[in-house]
Amino acid sequence: MSQRSDCVFCAIVAGEGPAREVLRTDRIVAFFPLDPVAPGHTLVVPHSHAPDIWSIDRDTGHALMDATLEIAEAVRRALPIDGLNVIQSNGEAATQSVPHLHIHVVPRQWGDAMDIGWPSKTNWGDGAIDAAQDKLRAVLGQR
């Protein structure tokens, strides 16, 4: 298990950082952030340091998703919620503030203060969308 001494999430995984843990397995740790946006807001992180989604193997990805599903179900059963966001960001441009891969499980209620900032309208034309589809299909081996 590789960890970085300068990473706050690695410190939590090692049991040395402050955290309210809700789940620990041999591959992941799930805990509340220090300043959650809602009661039950949980972060799911891999034991090994990985800065982003492109830095993990499939087994780690499966462990993260399995734990995320488990936390989402627990939140639904334990708390009075109207909905749930599952958010995973990569890089500063995507609002990633801690460079250790993590998934947010965020309980939602009507009228809460959470704003994920989706634009109401975009200006992408069909040409740009079609080109992106073609490029993705080519990389994925789809015709």
Side-chain angles (χ1 to χ4, degrees):
M1 167 171 46
S2 67
Q3 294 180 338
R4 291 182 43 166
S5 61
D6 62 339
C7 175
V8 296
F9 289 174
C10 285
I12 290 169
V13 169
E16 299 167 356
R20 290 185 166 113
E21 281 189 29
V22 295
L23 179 67
R24 181 178 282 267
T25 72
D26 61 335
R27 298 192 69 115
I28 66 91
V29 178
F31 55 91
F32 294 166
L34 293 178
D35 191 19
V37 299
H41 175 187
T42 304
L43 301 177
V44 184
V45 306
H47 280 224
S48 295
H49 183 82
D52 53 43
I53 198 166
W54 301 289
S55 304
I56 62 170
D57 58 45
R58 287 190 177 270
D59 288 340
T60 301
H62 289 288
L64 280 167
M65 187 49 66
D66 287 347
T68 299
L69 290 168
E70 189 173 353
I71 296 297
E73 181 61 26
V75 165
R76 182 170 67 165
R77 292 178 57 199
L79 302 172
I81 64 170
D82 298 316
L84 183 87
N85 284 116
V86 175
I87 303 167
Q88 198 285 304
S89 302
N90 297 278
E92 289 182 37
T95 71
Q96 182 182 11
S97 59
V98 177
H100 183 123
L101 177 66
H102 56 287
I103 299 173
H104 294 261
V105 178
V106 185
R108 300 297 305 274
Q109 293 183 334
W110 288 111
D112 65 22
M114 181 77 176
D115 178 12
I116 60 173
W118 289 100
S120 59
K121 178 148 178 59
T122 65
N123 295 319
W124 298 106
D126 286 342
I129 303 299
D130 291 344
Q133 179 186 18
D134 291 345
K135 289 175 182 178
L136 285 172
R137 290 178 60 82
V139 168
L140 293 168
Q142 301 292 304
R143 303 235 175 234

